[in-house]
Amino acid sequence: MHRFRIGRRLARAAGVAAAATALLVAAAAPATAATAKEFTGGGRGLTAASAIRSATWDAEASASAELLNTCVPVGEPGIWEVVDHPYFGHVFFAEVTVSCTT
């Protein structure tokens, strides 16, 4: 075979491989963009509301590290009241789970 024919065959094969790769990436991008990921955050505060707010900020900060900025709460927050904490005295602890997407 001549070099000219071999070159054309290689060029066609490379073009087909590039097109297949482009189709695969294009099909996978929307599927991964729509998936949500859950993050759990913890916080403490002098009131239950401030503990929940602190826990929500913690979970959203974890999500923003992965460039997921649209978050919604999932389920009910967990709240614990401690009246004899050795360092803080009367304090509330909270745990919040959020579901985040891009």
Side-chain angles (χ1 to χ4, degrees), residues 4 9 27 33 37-38 44 61 67 82 87:
F4 183 67
R9 288 183 182 175
K37 192 170 182 183
E38 289 187 354
R44 66 176 166 83
L67 302 176
V82 179
Y87 298 112

Side-chain angles (χ1 to χ4, degrees), residues 10-21:
L10 289 175
R12 273 191 228 141
V16 169
T21 303

Side-chain angles (χ1 to χ4, degrees), residues 32-46:
T32 58
T35 59
K37 192 170 182 183
E38 289 187 354
F39 295 88
T40 301
R44 66 176 166 83
L46 296 176

